[in-house]
Amino acid sequence: MAAALGGLGLLQGRVRLAAAAAATSSLGRPGRRAPVWGGGAAALLSAGRSYGSEAKEEEELRVRYLDDEHKGIVVLGLNRSHAKNALNKNLLKMMSKAVDALKSDKKVRTVIFRSEVPGIFCAGADLKERAKMHSSEVSSFVSKARATINEMANLPVPTIAAIDGTALGGGLELALACDIRVAAASAKMGLVETKLAIIPGAGGTQRLPRTIGVSLAKELIFSARIVDGEEAKSIGLISHVVEQNEAGDAAYRRALALAREFLPQGPVAMRVAKLAINQGMEVDLVTGLAIEEACYAQTIPTKDRIEGLLAFKEKRPPRYKGE
């Protein structure tokens, strides 16, 4: 799947998709401390926003492995409050390192990508850092950002973007790279606002058509038409729209509930299903069906499939032991 970082997106009240000039664009467990992936000043989670381990203030990326009824769910939290979670070299490096570890961890069942900073998901690229870069460094940075987002998209388990605030530029691209997107609405407006400015060559023209369809993507980009949150949901840009709560984590709570729905399913089946869908969407139907058959064959000898059949026969929830 092609990765995309270019594009200017804003998620916070109503959905607006617009073309813009390139000159104005920018690109746990409870009780267990999460690994430190980065540095920088940041605010601690409030009690209402914490579902996993508490992390140190200086962590730019918080990685939490949840426990108990949420075991198998991993939360990646952006935590650069002083920079509105803008993507810099260090944060991209930490994200890549975290994703690399998750993709080979068989105990991981679902990954939720969220912000730990109230009111902001991600402000896109760190333009202050970019202003100090040589032109050759900018190209390298964009390539790294694109590769990191692509690594996220290719995680073998389901991924959910919990958007509880502004998603600008690369922030919206991070959300588009996830399998499911949940956005919080303003309690006053009852809408979700998104601005998306597509920058030719930067990648944003690729993920949007793959998400909502080629014809509709062209229409929205060419017309700069404004649509409200419900329409954004209806066209598939956003999977779920929820009213924001006082804690400011309504999207995260909904994402967590979705992730729990995935937990009873067989881990092998979930992985091959995602693989079949992702690869099948890039080829013709006949080839896609062949991919599905090959993926299904991988589930035949597994303990997951045997347990699933027994559970169905006995009319009980499956009890998976792992892979």
Side-chain angles (χ1 to χ4, degrees), residues 45-266:
L45 289 172
S46 66
R49 295 174 59 90
S50 178
Y51 288 89
S53 59
E54 293 296 336
K56 295 180 180 179
E57 285 189 313
E58 69 271 21
E59 294 171 3
E60 288 191 348
L61 182 68
R62 294 177 174 179
V63 182
R64 293 182 290 153
Y65 290 74
L66 306 190
D67 249 339
D68 301 325
E69 70 271 24
H70 300 121
K71 188 173 183 180
I73 301 172
V74 178
V75 180
L76 299 184
L78 297 175
N79 193 41
R80 297 190 72 217
S81 63
H82 66 288
K84 297 183 179 180
N85 289 338
L87 303 173
N88 64 352
K89 291 180 179 179
N90 183 63
L91 183 55
L92 285 174
K93 179 181 178 180
M94 298 304 101
M95 287 169 55
S96 179
K97 184 177 180 180
V99 169
D100 189 59
L102 291 173
K103 68 183 180 184
S104 59
D105 189 340
K106 301 300 183 181
K107 295 181 180 180
V108 176
R109 304 291 296 279
T110 300
V111 175
I112 297 176
F113 207 97
R114 68 169 298 194
S115 167
E116 307 287 4
V117 181
I120 184 76
F121 181 73
C122 176
D126 189 330
L127 298 183
K128 290 184 178 179
E129 181 185 70
R130 265 185 59 173
K132 300 176 182 178
M133 294 181 187
H134 187 271
S135 58
S136 60
E137 291 182 284
V138 173
S139 178
S140 176
F141 173 81
V142 173
S143 295
K144 177 61 177 178
R146 182 178 291 112
T148 300
I149 291 176
N150 201 45
E151 289 170 2
M152 282 179 50
N154 289 327
L155 274 170
V157 297
T159 55
I160 306 174
I163 309 167
D164 277 307
T166 302
L168 181 64
L172 185 55
E173 295 296 345
L174 288 176
L176 285 171
C178 292
D179 300 316
I180 300 170
R181 285 165 295 286
V182 182
S186 165
K188 295 181 179 179
M189 296 180 63
L191 301 172
V192 174
E193 179 172 328
T194 304
K195 288 181 181 178
L196 177 61
I198 301 301
I199 308 304
T205 57
Q206 300 305 302
R207 283 199 187 279
L208 185 63
R210 283 168 167 79
T211 301
I212 65 174
V214 174
S215 180
L216 185 53
K218 287 180 178 178
E219 178 183 336
L220 294 176
I221 293 168
F222 296 164
S223 68
R225 177 157 52 88
I226 299 174
V227 295
D228 64 21
E230 288 305 317
E231 185 174 353
K233 177 184 175 183
S234 71
I235 64 177
L237 176 59
I238 297 169
S239 307
H240 299 272
V241 178
V242 295
E243 185 174 294
Q244 188 57 281
N245 56 28
E246 292 184 4
D249 65 351
Y252 174 59
R253 289 177 182 268
R254 183 70 179 97
L256 196 62
L258 283 171
R260 286 186 62 182
E261 289 185 40
F262 302 158
L263 292 180
Q265 315 310 320

